[in-house]
Amino acid sequence: MGKHNQFEYEFGGPFGALSTMIALPIVIVALNQFCDKNYCLDKNNISELQNRIPNWNDLFDANALGVVLAWLAFHVFLERVLPHTKAQGVELANKTRLSYRINAHAQFWVTIVVVASLHAFTQYKLDYVYEHFLHLAVASVIVSISLSTFLYVKSFTRGALLAKGGNSGNPIYDFFIGRELNPRIGDFDLKVFCELRPGLIGWFVINAAMAVHEYSRTGFISMSMLLVNVSQGLYVWDALFNEVAILTTMDITTDGFGYMLAFGDLSWVPFTYSLQARYLADYNSGLSPAALATISSINLIGLYIFRGANGQKDAFRSNPNAPAVRHLKFLETKSGRKLLTSGFWGLARKINYTGDWLMGLSWCLFCGSAHITPYFYAIYFAVLLIHRALRDDHSCSLKYGEDWNRYKKIVRYMFVPGVI
């Protein structure tokens, strides 16, 4: 049997990888065309979509490409010059550990100050983001594809540590998944840099730009817009504040760095996760104070579950004898790893995903019920989290063997205790 026949493909193999690479940029453009200031898709105007196919000038603008490149360069500069601490990653297949610079939280606040100052005191206004949203999105796609190409070529350099899942020998599939596990230029880690900084902070800035536009249009910022900015801003801040936690995630420890992550980090996150703020920039949600309070409660419940579960897991991994976590029960595997079976993690194996999805649902609900487009995130994110959970379940079954089956008999539910 040849190497290709022995390899276990994900995402539908090479055909699925190619289809996904083609489809995702189209989805970003389509979401823009489905809803903007002149049109928003509903059951009464579906036939008008045929008139909204963009031309090349609608899609590409050289200045927007320059803005995206400048944005990336700015964040590389901050990552290099801001004070930082060091953190060690997990042990790799070659028995080494990589060291990472941790300063994304400081980078977040410095970026806010710089962007706010440019908007207040120069001709570089946040209004540009609203006015050239599609141009910026397409520019980010071009940059993502270019970066993916560089990463694929670089993965063939001598000494590159390859990701197990991205070394199939099929160039299309490997380009998508990513061949090299931790591509670096010197000590600059490309994957960890892209995972949080330019995309997540970009999402925050895009949201702020949409709020600026709503204020310019109406003379005030609606409560729905404010709550979307605050709740999503808190989500971004939390990720950056807890930057070290990503070093143990599947994205960093297992997946190679290719199109899948590069596109997700630099294009998908900032230009689809900002969909609710972009919708509210032009449309009123019409929600009552009671409805807004209820939706805010859903968001806070989701945040409590998400942060509580992740914080508990990280604290246990760091020091299982710490006062806050030493009472937790666990199953010790033959590999020596300990799987939590109480606390948040005794409720469901992916309880953090449940909290994450509840937050995403609340963001969509802040947009009201007049149009379906703002709800794309909740629908897509449910599919993503289910797929990711199944990938992780399969990976853990291979990693822990019978211990994983024992663990699943103790923690029976995947997402919602007593339900699923």
Side-chain angles (χ1 to χ4, degrees):
M1 297 288 285
K3 177 181 177 181
H4 295 280
N5 293 326
Q6 296 175 0
F7 189 85
E8 186 174 356
Y9 286 115
E10 297 183 280
F11 299 97
F15 177 79
L18 179 62
S19 300
T20 301
M21 287 190 286
I22 294 171
L24 291 182
I26 294 174
V27 171
I28 288 181
V29 174
L31 287 173
N32 183 81
Q33 300 307 99
F34 285 173
C35 199
D36 62 17
K37 64 181 179 181
N38 299 315
Y39 170 90
C40 203
L41 178 68
D42 61 39
K43 62 182 180 180
N44 299 315
N45 61 16
I46 294 177
S47 61
E48 297 178 31
L49 275 176
Q50 62 184 332
N51 301 320
R52 296 185 56 77
I53 299 174
N55 58 44
W56 177 246
N57 289 332
D58 295 326
L59 296 173
F60 179 75
D61 178 78
N63 289 332
L65 179 59
V67 169
V68 170
L69 291 173
W71 176 256
L72 288 174
F74 171 68
H75 283 286
V76 171
F77 172 75
L78 291 183
E79 192 270 352
R80 293 285 91 185
V81 303
L82 288 177
H84 64 277
T85 58
K86 290 283 189 178
Q88 295 294 306
V90 301
E91 185 176 281
L92 303 174
N94 59 8
K95 305 303 180 182
T96 65
R97 293 177 184 267
L98 295 175
S99 179
Y100 296 91
R101 298 163 67 98
I102 304 298
N103 60 5
H105 184 229
Q107 192 160 329
F108 172 72
W109 291 111
V110 170
T111 301
I112 290 175
V113 171
V114 171
V115 170
S117 298
L118 289 173
H119 177 77
F121 304 115
T122 75
Q123 73 271 30
Y124 300 109
K125 305 295 184 183
L126 282 170
D127 307 73
Y128 178 89
V129 176
Y130 173 85
E131 294 164 359
H132 293 272
F133 182 85
L134 185 56
H135 288 146
L136 291 168
V138 172
S140 76
V141 171
I142 293 171
V143 170
S144 298
I145 294 172
S146 300
L147 174 60
S148 302
T149 303
F150 167 77
L151 292 168
Y152 183 73
V153 173
K154 182 183 180 302
S155 71
F156 289 95
T157 57
R158 181 176 297 179
L161 179 62
L162 303 184
K164 182 178 179 181
N167 189 25
S168 70
N170 183 288
I172 294 174
Y173 184 82
D174 293 347
F175 179 87
F176 172 71
I177 292 291
R179 291 187 81 243
E180 190 172 357
L181 183 62
N182 304 108
R184 289 187 162 204
I185 300 173
D187 70 343
F188 180 66
D189 193 287
L190 292 162
K191 183 164 67 170
V192 169
F193 169 77
C194 290
E195 184 79 6
L196 292 182
R197 298 163 190 260
L200 274 184
I201 300 175
W203 172 20
F204 180 91
V205 170
I206 291 172
N207 280 359
M210 299 305 153
V212 167
H213 176 76
E214 186 194 33
Y215 183 83
S216 299
R217 182 176 65 84
T218 65
F220 64 91
I221 295 176
S222 65
M223 188 56 67
S224 286
M225 175 68 86
L226 180 63
L227 288 170
V228 164
N229 267 264
V230 169
S231 58
Q232 293 187 349
L234 182 60
Y235 184 89
V236 170
W237 171 84
D238 177 79
L240 297 166
F241 182 77
N242 294 287
E243 178 186 11
V244 70
I246 70 165
L247 301 183
T248 58
T249 62
M250 179 182 288
D251 284 0
I252 304 303
T253 64
T254 307
D255 292 331
F257 192 30
Y259 181 97
M260 180 177 71
L261 290 180
F263 182 89
D265 294 340
L266 302 181
S267 298
W268 189 260
V269 167
F271 292 100
T272 66
Y273 286 25
S274 57
L275 180 58
Q276 291 76 40
R278 188 168 64 80
Y279 173 83
L280 292 169
D282 292 311
Y283 296 91
N284 193 321
S285 70
L287 294 173
S288 67
L292 292 170
T294 301
I295 297 167
S296 297
S297 298
I298 294 172
N299 180 267
L300 291 174
I301 292 170
L303 178 62
Y304 170 75
I305 296 171
F306 177 75
R307 177 42 46 208
N310 285 334
Q312 193 174 76
K313 178 180 66 176
D314 293 336
F316 186 81
R317 283 178 173 175
S318 298
N319 181 9
N321 296 313
V325 294
R326 65 187 176 192
H327 65 284
L328 295 175
K329 297 178 182 179
F330 58 86
L331 184 154
E332 186 159 4
T333 66
K334 294 182 178 66
S335 67
R337 293 289 299 273
K338 298 174 180 178
L339 304 176
L340 286 171
T341 58
S342 67
F344 280 102
W345 299 95
L347 299 173
R349 300 190 299 275
K350 290 297 179 183
I351 192 70
N352 56 330
Y353 286 7
T354 302
D356 208 353
W357 187 79
L358 285 174
M359 286 189 287
L361 175 63
S362 73
W363 302 336
C364 302
L365 291 171
F366 281 131
C367 296
S369 58
H371 298 100
I372 187 62
T373 303
Y375 285 81
F376 169 82
Y377 180 84
I379 299 167
Y380 140 78
F381 203 47
V383 174
L384 173 72
L385 292 178
I386 291 170
H387 179 260
R388 185 179 291 174
L390 293 174
R391 283 186 73 205
D392 190 54
D393 183 77
H394 178 66
S395 174
C396 288
S397 69
L398 297 177
K399 182 176 182 180
Y400 298 117
E402 186 57 33
D403 286 332
W404 187 247
N405 292 327
R406 290 172 54 211
Y407 168 69
K408 289 171 70 172
K409 289 179 181 178
I410 300 171
V411 185
R412 296 171 54 197
Y413 300 99
M414 182 172 282
F415 297 113
V416 181
V419 180
I420 185 173

